[in-house]
Amino acid sequence: MVKRVILRKRCPYHTKSHKIRQVKTPGGRLLVHYVKKIAKGPHCKETGERLAGIPALRPKEYSRINKKDRTVSRAYGGVLSHKTVKERIIRAFLTEEVKVIKKKMQQQKKAK
C-alpha cells in the first residue's frame, strides 16, 4: 500500500516546476518538501562553455546579489569566457599588424 503524503501547496500535479521530496517527520507524518530547479549558470555566448567566477543561480536570484558577484572584472566579463576574449585581442592585434606591414610594402614599392 502507498503511503499518503501531506501536501503543503494546493497544486497536486507533478510538473517541471513542482518537484517534491518526501520527508518523514519525528512525529511520524509523511510531509513534502518542494525542490527548487537546479541552476545551470551563465555560459559563454560564443563557445557555450560555463563562465568561471560567477555562481550558478536561478534568474531571479541574480537580481538579489551584488553587481560584483554577477560579473568578472574584465572586458566582456560575465558574457564571454577568458579564452574567447584572449582570442579576440590576439586577432585584433594581428589584423593591425597586417595593415602596418601592407603599408610598409606599398611604401617600399613607391620608393623603387
Side-chain angles (χ1 to χ4, degrees):
M1 190 171 142
V2 179
K3 292 276 187 177
R4 294 273 180 165
V5 180
I6 299 169
L7 297 174
R8 292 181 170 187
K9 295 180 183 176
R10 290 186 182 258
C11 179
Y13 304 110
H14 299 292
T15 60
K16 253 187 192 179
S17 62
H18 199 260
K19 300 283 183 191
I20 61 172
R21 177 171 289 134
Q22 293 182 357
V23 178
K24 192 130 190 192
T25 62
R29 289 171 39 179
L30 197 58
L31 280 182
V32 164
H33 280 183
Y34 294 95
V35 182
K36 290 184 178 179
K37 286 185 179 180
I38 298 169
K40 287 192 172 185
H43 290 76
C44 177
K45 300 297 179 193
E46 280 190 16
T47 59
E49 66 180 293
R50 179 93 166 68
L51 293 179
I54 302 171
L57 302 173
R58 295 298 296 167
K60 183 77 173 181
E61 293 169 357
Y62 280 115
S63 65
R64 295 190 191 119
I65 63 172
N66 292 334
K67 177 77 172 177
K68 69 178 184 68
D69 297 329
R70 273 183 264 163
T71 62
V72 181
S73 57
R74 174 178 66 234
Y76 298 102
V79 180
L80 298 177
S81 64
H82 67 284
K83 291 177 189 175
T84 309
V85 174
K86 184 179 175 181
E87 285 174 10
R88 280 188 175 197
I89 291 169
I90 291 170
R91 193 182 315 130
F93 176 75
L94 290 175
T95 54
E96 288 298 318
E97 285 293 310
V98 169
K99 287 178 187 175
V100 170
I101 291 169
K102 281 183 180 177
K103 276 189 180 179
K104 282 188 178 180
M105 295 293 280
Q106 286 176 352
Q107 288 175 355
Q108 285 178 357
K109 283 183 181 179
K110 286 182 180 178
K112 288 184 180 180

